[in-house]
Amino acid sequence: MLRISSFLCVALSIFSIAADAATASLIEQLTDLSKRFSTAIIYNTSLLAGITIEPSTQTTLEQTLDLWLTPRQLSWQKTASGIVIFQTATSVPATAISILETNNTQVIEEVTVTESLPTPSNGDAYNHNYQQAINYAQQIKSNYVGQSEIAIGAMLNQLPAENLAEALQAVPGISITRDRGEALNINAMGLGAEYQLTLFNGHRLANTENVRNSNQYGQQHRFDIFSAGLFSNIAVYKTTNSSLPSGAVGATVNLLSDDPLAYQDNNLQVMLTTAALEGEQNLQPSFGLTGNAKTADGDLAVMVKMNYENRLQRQFQFETWHWGENGGAPQPYQWPDINKNILVPTDGLALTIENEDRTRATYYGALAWQATERLKLNTLWFRSDTDFSFDEHRISINPQSQSAQAQVNDENNSLNQFVFNDVNAKTSREESNLYYANQTIQVDANWQPSAHLPLTLSPFYSSSKANSKTKEPISRVHGAISPMQANVVLQNKSVDSFNFAGNLGLVSSYSHINQMSKRTINVLNEVDEWGIDSHWSRENYWGLQALDIGFLHSTQNYDYTRKDISLSPSALEQLPNLDGRWLEPITNKFSAEFINADVQPWLIPKSDLFQLYDIDLSFAEMSDSDRLNSYKVRFVSKEGYISSKWQFEQVTLSTGLRYSNTLSETKGSQHATTGELAPINSSNNDSTWLPTVNLKWQPSQFWQWRAGFSRSLNRPNYSDLNPKLHVNSGGLPYAELGNPNLQPVIANTSTLSVNWQQPSVSAQLLGFNHHMNNFIVEQAASFNYQGQHYNSLQRTNDGQAQVNGLQASSQWQLPQYSQWFLQSQLSASITHINKADVSTLAGNHLKVAGVSDWTGNLRFLVSDDKWQAAFNINYRSDFLEQHDISNNANSYVEGYTSTDLSFSWFYSANASLRLDLFNATNETLTRTAKTDGASSLLKAEEFGRRVVVSLSLRI
């Protein structure tokens, strides 16, 4: 970080040198500019009086205005009546608005955040100037009574981001969770992804699932279905908003579509992109298209967006699955003459090469019709189709202590050096073809019953469906390695050795096929919502300013179906002996910075073994195991709300109350006390009142104080309600029991913040506290299954949690200008969690999972009329990923810093070229297993750098 700061200081010192030139009155120059381009330029004379500028040599109107206005904290906006000039820290001045209204013209509609539901808007006005986007977002945030953040236009599309979650890192207080190097979920307000809610124009979205490794994210929204440039307006509510659906203790992210009627001109923009993974010569193409059109009378407009993307990803990783204390491990995994509290591996040690080939196509269409002066109809359709092809190669060792020696790392109190004399190891290959689809349709209307009554009624309907399934069954083939010596040496965050004494490039080093299996998973998630919102407002300086009342009916259906089949032990024994027809070399050599020695190449099963030997693993009726792993969950919610906004001189008060009644139903199968499988059909009804109170005090032009209290709920994840019994496949015996009777988590949240805002700099300090009841925790119990005793884990509502922290953020328009660049923007945010603790009825005290003590973001952008450079640095400290109250150790994700860079060249207003470098430092993502007195390396992943080149054309 110090090196970056030094770089910025040197760069800004160089760029601050400016050439002297003759100056002239800005007003006179604007008059000449207006005549030269035959364009009306509207401004307040007092705003520009006394300002002098250097005559411009720029050839276009837009470039000249940027050169003259941006360094002086002024902005411009093109409207149907001409160009309006206004001060950057505010929106279009009232004087300019009145001029436009008298000419019966329509000002470009802008994103607005009120106590009621935000309306779709036109972000195109702020798509091209980062400084204007930043300042306008700050102004919207300043007008809002509660705690919010706005990301608009250039804030989302002019910083490097591979999907929408990575773009949202620019929002203070938001951090991300990565999967295979790409952002997947967001975290905010000191809580993990399961406590956030994502909406599309105020309505819930159906979620896709990870059907490859059976992880069930449920209500944790996966952002990998959205490209970064799909949305140009996003509102983030850091505390509950009564007019939005319930379901978030953390933040509510509302993705806002663009309003086609708000665009003044017809446009077509095409983007051609190619990407390359470091070390690969293959180029992955992408294509994007955005267009909008309006009828001559301006009453009917349409907007379409389409994006196609192909991406190759390669991940190298070392992984283990479980570590536990030596005294509690099963006998084959216990090590003699070693203390009982020493951490030992109780499952495989493995090296993995994961190859992913993904294609994603997204389609978006919006139609808006101004039927009458007081009636407007909107229709929107969104679809995302993603195909994943995985080919995973693994070599793994079963770390049983027989015929093996190990050494203790005294510093970590764990085994870290192993010598296996007759190794029990295998080579594996897993192939899968997955398909993810998400489709959302929305219809709404805005009707003002009377021209003299400031009341708007907005009925709506939203239907969202997500299907995640195995397009072809996931196939796994394991081949046993012949007995030989193997050596594994682990460090805190690296692997010093993982080698075998024999030549793994020879077929003779392998003995037999010991597993052939297939799995299918199909997940269908559907969300249907309908209701009505109403908004009443009046212009007055004192008293009631706005009143919102509405009703929502929401239905969420979740259907998870899984089936497994494998070749029987007797059938495996009858397979022919291994020869060259069974095995082949890995395509890519294992290469990662966390490996401190060369890794020998190994052979893997061929991809066509099922067909080559005519092995037909056909799926029949569902087995007992299939029924245990399959379930259905249904939420039916009825919600009503009322919220109001009051103005009392320097104080603004916002109050709201939401009532939520939810019927939850769970269907599945569970083991009865007799050991037999029995169906279960459970239902629960939960009702609660959710009040909110927010107060904003503005003692001066530059200072704002806010205080707030809200009550919110967070429904259990779908997988938590699964009435399953899941028994682990190896190592330490343990089981998981589902609980269909879980209740929502109820949270009382209080906030206090202070904001300071100047034309060129703004800062905020926010303190927050969550007190959560019915917090979901795991309890330990004993369970006997098929004659085996298990330590079982079951989720309950027996916890209380306290999470509080501080968040600081700033936006700084740097005061350096020169003949080389026109604007520079430095933004920073940092969040510190002071406390994130859980206490249970049993007297246990735990950390809240998914919470980092420190998260931060640093963004810098510098640009001229012809080019722009930016970097984005995000940091997240270590956090508890998963509790394990059995003998196994907890899983922690170590601190991680991601750095992305971009450079854009603007050939003209209609053509630009952009270069992005993602994961510039190629940092290793590391997980560790920890107990109170010991730790060990659990997993290390490396993803590689990615270069993306984009050409954008506006027609």
Side-chain angles (χ1 to χ4, degrees):
M1 194 67 72
L2 291 175
R3 286 182 292 176
I4 294 174
S5 301
S6 301
F7 166 76
L8 292 177
C9 293
V10 173
L12 293 175
S13 299
I14 296 173
F15 289 157
S16 62
I17 302 173
D20 295 329
T23 60
S25 167
L26 175 58
I27 293 177
E28 293 177 359
Q29 292 297 312
L30 288 175
T31 302
D32 293 340
L33 196 68
S34 176
K35 295 177 181 178
R36 180 157 42 118
F37 289 96
S38 300
T39 301
I41 300 180
I42 305 166
Y43 53 85
N44 190 325
T45 304
S46 61
L47 182 65
L48 307 184
I51 298 179
T52 59
I53 49 92
E54 301 169 5
S56 171
T57 58
Q58 302 294 337
T59 58
T60 69
L61 175 64
E62 293 81 2
Q63 293 170 353
T64 304
L65 289 172
D66 284 338
L67 178 65
W68 287 346
L69 302 180
T70 302
R72 293 161 180 85
Q73 287 77 54
L74 298 172
S75 297
W76 60 273
Q77 181 173 307
K78 183 181 291 186
T79 72
S81 293
I83 290 176
V84 179
I85 295 177
F86 55 95
Q87 193 170 6
T88 300
T90 62
S91 55
V92 180
T95 53
I97 294 289
S98 62
I99 293 174
L100 298 179
E101 288 177 346
T102 56
N103 291 332
N104 295 322
T105 61
Q106 181 183 8
V107 181
I108 294 180
E109 183 184 352
E110 298 158 341
V111 59
T112 57
V113 180
T114 66
E115 295 307 310
S116 62
L117 179 68
T119 56
S121 56
N122 171 24
D124 188 62
Y126 297 95
N127 273 342
H128 310 293
N129 189 299
Y130 188 85
Q131 187 61 54
Q132 287 187 18
I134 283 284
N135 290 328
Y136 188 60
Q138 286 292 323
Q139 183 63 30
I140 300 171
K141 176 181 175 179
S142 176
N143 292 337
Y144 185 62
V145 182
Q147 303 292 344
S148 71
E149 297 288 348
I150 301 298
I152 182 172
M155 297 173 63
L156 296 166
N157 60 37
Q158 290 194 12
L159 285 175
E162 290 198 273
N163 65 27
L164 188 59
E166 295 182 12
L168 282 172
Q169 292 178 114
V171 175
I174 285 186
S175 61
I176 61 175
T177 301
R178 293 180 179 270
D179 179 47
R180 299 188 304 277
E182 184 179 13
L184 188 67
N185 308 118
I186 64 169
N187 313 278
M189 294 296 286
L191 294 168
E194 65 269 31
Y195 294 98
Q196 323 302 327
L197 178 64
T198 301
L199 306 175
F200 190 3
N201 290 328
H203 311 302
R204 289 185 181 91
L205 284 165
N207 294 341
T208 54
E209 279 284 17
N210 184 349
V211 297
R212 178 169 173 255
N213 57 16
S214 305
N215 287 344
Q216 296 163 55
Y217 293 99
Q219 299 185 81
Q220 302 180 30
H221 187 76
R222 292 169 56 101
F223 282 87
D224 54 353
I225 67 170
F226 296 129
S227 59
L230 189 62
F231 297 96
S232 54
N233 299 306
I234 297 175
V236 179
Y237 300 91
K238 293 186 175 180
T239 54
T240 300
N241 186 313
S242 297
S243 61
L244 295 175
S246 64
V249 172
T252 299
V253 178
N254 194 12
L255 311 174
L256 302 173
S257 61
D258 290 341
D259 181 5
L261 286 171
Y263 285 78
Q264 300 302 308
D265 302 314
N266 297 337
N267 293 286
L268 178 63
Q269 183 172 339
V270 178
M271 178 172 288
L272 305 175
T273 301
T274 185
L277 182 66
E278 182 181 21
E280 281 287 328
Q281 297 182 353
N282 294 331
L283 299 179
Q284 300 103 56
S286 299
F287 170 81
L289 182 147
T290 300
N292 65 279
K294 186 190 297 186
T295 58
D297 57 10
D299 291 338
L300 185 66
V302 64
M303 167 170 280
V304 295
K305 296 182 180 181
M306 191 274 285
N307 179 270
Y308 169 84
E309 176 190 23
N310 175 245
R311 166 175 168 164
L312 294 178
Q313 178 68 49
R314 180 166 299 110
Q315 175 177 303
F316 297 97
Q317 66 185 27
F318 164 80
E319 59 183 332
T320 63
W321 288 273
H322 300 102
W323 287 71
E325 293 184 345
N326 191 41
Q331 188 62 40
Y333 295 92
Q334 290 186 12
W335 296 76
D337 303 324
I338 293 177
N339 292 337
K340 292 183 177 181
N341 64 339
I342 298 291
L343 271 183
V344 301
T346 59
D347 212 331
L349 309 171
L351 295 181
T352 304
I353 305 175
E354 185 178 282
N355 301 285
E356 172 199 327
D357 187 354
R358 180 185 69 185
T359 58
R360 179 180 64 194
T362 56
Y363 314 91
Y364 166 100
L367 179 68
W369 178 35
Q370 191 72 49
T372 68
E373 184 179 353
R374 298 193 302 272
L375 176 62
K376 181 182 176 184
L377 302 175
N378 302 291
T379 303
L380 181 143
W381 173 73
F382 167 79
R383 183 174 180 88
S384 173
D385 293 280
T386 308
D387 282 283
F388 289 92
S389 177
F390 288 97
D391 190 0
E392 180 184 273
H393 314 146
R394 176 180 291 144
I395 184 169
S396 58
I397 294 173
N398 187 345
Q400 294 181 355
S401 58
Q402 293 93 334
S403 302
Q405 296 87 42
Q407 292 184 8
V408 177
N409 184 329
D410 295 329
E411 180 183 353
N412 297 333
N413 205 26
S414 63
L415 300 185
N416 73 323
Q417 185 169 342
F418 306 88
V419 177
F420 301 95
N421 293 318
D422 293 313
V423 69
N424 180 1
K426 61 185 177 183
T427 177
S428 307
R429 185 172 198 167
E430 177 184 305
E431 296 176 280
S432 56
N433 288 280
L434 316 177
Y435 173 68
Y436 294 173
N438 186 294
Q439 179 170 285
T440 299
I441 298 174
Q442 295 182 351
V443 179
D444 65 78
N446 295 292
W447 177 48
Q448 185 178 355
S450 171
H452 306 289
L453 182 65
L455 173 67
T456 303
L457 301 177
S458 302
F460 60 83
Y461 171 76
S462 176
S463 176
S464 185
K465 180 186 295 185
N467 187 209
S468 312
K469 64 181 181 180
T470 50
K471 203 171 185 179
E472 297 178 6
I474 301 170
S475 64
R476 296 186 176 99
V477 180
H478 299 172
I481 294 177
S482 300
M484 65 179 68
Q485 189 178 90
N487 182 50
V488 178
V489 181
L490 307 179
Q491 295 294 334
N492 294 340
K493 295 185 178 181
S494 63
V495 179
D496 282 353
S497 176
F498 196 104
N499 281 296
F500 292 76
N503 185 353
L504 298 184
L506 301 177
V507 176
S508 58
S509 295
Y510 305 85
S511 59
H512 61 281
I513 296 294
N514 56 9
Q515 180 180 337
M516 297 185 75
S517 63
K518 289 186 177 182
R519 170 179 294 173
T520 63
I521 297 178
N522 193 329
V523 185
L524 182 61
N525 187 203
E526 298 176 292
V527 181
D528 291 305
E529 295 190 336
W530 58 268
I532 187 169
D533 297 305
S534 64
H535 176 72
W536 175 86
S537 63
R538 67 173 184 173
E539 294 182 4
N540 65 334
Y541 182 71
W542 186 275
L544 181 63
Q545 283 194 327
L547 185 66
D548 294 273
I549 301 175
F551 170 79
L552 167 69
H553 185 282
S554 177
T555 303
Q556 303 174 56
N557 290 297
Y558 184 87
D559 189 345
Y560 186 96
T561 304
R562 173 177 144 184
K563 299 179 71 175
D564 290 274
I565 189 170
S566 60
L567 208 60
S568 65
S570 58
L572 287 171
E573 292 179 358
Q574 297 175 11
L575 294 177
N577 295 329
L578 285 178
D579 55 31
R581 295 173 298 171
W582 285 89
L583 303 173
E584 65 182 7
I586 56 176
T587 306
N588 300 283
K589 182 180 179 181
F590 192 99
S591 176
E593 293 183 2
F594 61 79
I595 290 286
N596 296 324
D598 289 338
V599 176
Q600 61 195 120
W602 70 90
L603 301 182
I604 56 174
K606 288 186 176 180
S607 63
D608 59 351
L609 291 185
F610 288 92
Q611 294 80 11
L612 180 64
Y613 286 94
D614 195 23
I615 300 173
D616 183 21
L617 287 179
S618 57
F619 291 91
E621 296 296 325
M622 294 186 69
S623 65
D624 285 356
S625 176
D626 296 335
R627 280 190 283 270
L628 281 172
N629 284 297
S630 303
Y631 63 101
K632 296 180 180 181
V633 174
R634 176 182 171 90
F635 293 146
V636 180
S637 301
K638 298 176 182 178
E639 299 186 340
Y641 73 90
I642 180 171
S643 66
S644 61
K645 180 180 178 182
W646 303 76
Q647 184 67 48
F648 307 101
E649 292 186 349
Q650 297 175 332
V651 176
T652 307
L653 175 66
S654 168
T655 62
L657 181 64
R658 191 174 191 94
Y659 172 74
S660 176
N661 180 283
T662 301
L663 173 67
S664 63
E665 299 175 312
T666 304
K667 296 181 180 180
S669 299
Q670 194 175 55
H671 273 282
T673 55
T674 59
E676 297 177 353
L677 200 64
I680 185 171
N681 190 343
S682 175
S683 63
N684 296 283
N685 193 285
D686 299 298
S687 299
T688 185
W689 293 90
L690 306 172
T692 61
V693 179
N694 291 291
L695 186 71
K696 181 179 72 172
W697 174 44
Q698 185 153 355
S700 68
Q701 178 182 357
F702 304 119
W703 290 93
Q704 289 182 339
W705 292 80
R706 286 178 173 82
F709 168 82
S710 63
R711 194 164 188 256
S712 57
L713 64 84
N714 212 99
R715 295 181 182 87
N717 226 348
Y718 302 122
S719 59
D720 295 340
L721 298 167
N722 177 11
K724 66 182 177 181
L725 165 66
H726 173 73
V727 180
N728 75 317
S729 57
L732 187 71
Y734 79 97
E736 295 178 65
L737 297 171
N739 187 356
N741 296 314
L742 286 175
Q743 297 176 334
V745 177
I746 302 295
N748 294 316
T749 300
S750 55
T751 59
L752 179 65
S753 70
V754 57
N755 288 72
W756 177 64
Q757 184 169 334
Q758 293 274 12
S760 60
V761 63
S762 64
Q764 181 194 57
L765 181 64
L766 166 66
F768 57 88
N769 178 75
H770 303 291
H771 181 81
M772 290 171 277
N773 296 315
N774 293 342
F775 196 77
I776 298 174
V777 294
E778 289 182 327
Q779 67 176 5
S782 297
F783 190 85
N784 289 307
Y785 174 60
Q786 295 182 350
Q788 173 73 51
H789 177 78
Y790 290 94
N791 295 319
S792 65
L793 303 174
Q794 185 175 40
R795 288 175 171 82
T796 71
N797 288 112
D798 294 341
Q800 285 193 342
Q802 189 88 10
V803 177
N804 57 59
L806 291 172
Q807 176 190 300
S809 61
S810 66
Q811 305 277 359
W812 185 23
Q813 183 179 345
L814 301 180
Q816 280 83 12
Y817 304 97
S818 78
Q819 60 183 342
W820 295 294
F821 68 93
L822 290 176
Q823 68 170 342
S824 55
Q825 175 78 33
L826 181 65
S827 304
S829 67
I830 188 169
T831 301
H832 176 54
I833 303 302
N834 302 313
K835 184 178 183 181
D837 296 335
V838 182
S839 59
T840 69
L841 294 179
N844 297 320
H845 296 277
L846 311 167
K847 292 280 290 182
V848 177
V851 177
S852 293
D853 288 343
W854 292 94
T855 57
N857 176 267
L858 178 67
R859 309 180 304 281
F860 176 71
L861 182 144
V862 59
S863 67
D864 193 42
D865 57 338
K866 286 294 186 182
W867 59 270
Q868 173 182 286
F871 67 72
N872 197 9
I873 300 175
N874 293 278
Y875 170 74
R876 186 177 182 186
S877 67
D878 66 304
F879 63 92
L880 173 66
E881 183 178 40
Q882 184 177 3
H883 279 297
D884 197 334
I885 59 176
S886 67
N887 185 61
N888 288 327
N890 292 337
S891 170
Y892 283 81
V893 177
E894 295 300 309
Y896 185 82
T897 303
S898 63
T899 303
D900 302 320
L901 311 172
S902 73
F903 181 84
S904 300
W905 176 52
F906 307 112
Y907 176 76
S908 69
N910 298 321
S912 62
L913 188 66
R914 175 167 167 170
L915 172 68
D916 291 293
L917 176 62
F918 295 102
N919 192 24
T921 56
N922 194 26
E923 184 170 345
T924 299
L925 183 62
T926 305
R927 288 174 171 83
T928 56
K930 295 182 181 180
T931 62
D932 290 339
S935 65
S936 183
L937 179 64
L938 186 67
K939 192 174 185 179
E941 303 169 80
E942 187 173 299
F943 318 107
R945 301 174 181 86
R946 179 177 301 279
V947 178
V948 180
V949 180
S950 306
L951 173 64
S952 178
L953 303 173
R954 182 183 291 267
I955 301 174

